[in-house]
Amino acid sequence: RRFDMLRLSVTLPAVFALSPLKKHREVALRVVLMTLAKAARQQQHAQQDPFLDIATACFLHFLSRLDPFVRESSAAASAYPESSKVSEIFCEALLRCEPTR
């Protein structure tokens, strides 16, 4: 149950990265940031569960099945413009919550 909530809290807000409204993208970033910050705190207290690693794996799994990524990866040449926007939210949140920084 804990990992399901982590998975959903990391992946679903990232869809709003494609929103044309800046406020939607900012809310999505805050949700992912809060989720990853909580995961980082839990990871520090419970050494046996690598929460940030699990969150990253869930996000990558989600991204690999996302329609824009599948479409862009099957193109002959692509700069991955849409999937990069989705990834940017997760990466920004991960950098901000990293406990070693």
Side-chain angles (χ1 to χ4, degrees):
R1 176 166 163 82
R2 184 171 27 166
F3 293 127
D4 288 339
M5 290 184 67
L6 177 64
R7 177 179 52 88
L8 289 174
S9 297
V10 167
T11 57
L12 290 182
V15 174
F16 288 97
L18 301 175
S19 173
L21 298 175
K22 184 177 179 179
K23 69 179 184 176
H24 290 166
R25 294 188 306 268
E26 289 173 349
V27 168
L29 176 61
R30 281 197 305 270
V31 170
V32 174
L33 178 59
M34 288 187 302
T35 300
L36 292 177
K38 182 177 179 182
R41 284 192 307 274
Q42 289 176 339
Q43 183 170 319
Q44 287 178 336
H45 296 300
Q47 295 296 324
Q48 71 273 13
D49 290 331
F51 290 106
L52 290 178
D53 294 345
I54 292 167
T56 303
C58 289
F59 179 77
L60 291 175
H61 184 262
F62 163 78
L63 181 65
S64 71
R65 284 159 174 69
L66 200 60
D67 187 51
F69 180 78
V70 172
R71 188 175 53 252
E72 291 167 350
S73 66
S74 64
S78 177
Y80 295 89
E82 289 183 55
S83 54
S84 293
K85 290 178 186 176
V86 176
S87 299
E88 183 179 343
I89 283 193
F90 181 81
C91 292
E92 178 71 24
L94 188 60
L95 285 173
R96 287 189 190 181
C97 84
E98 182 63 37
T100 59
R101 291 190 180 247

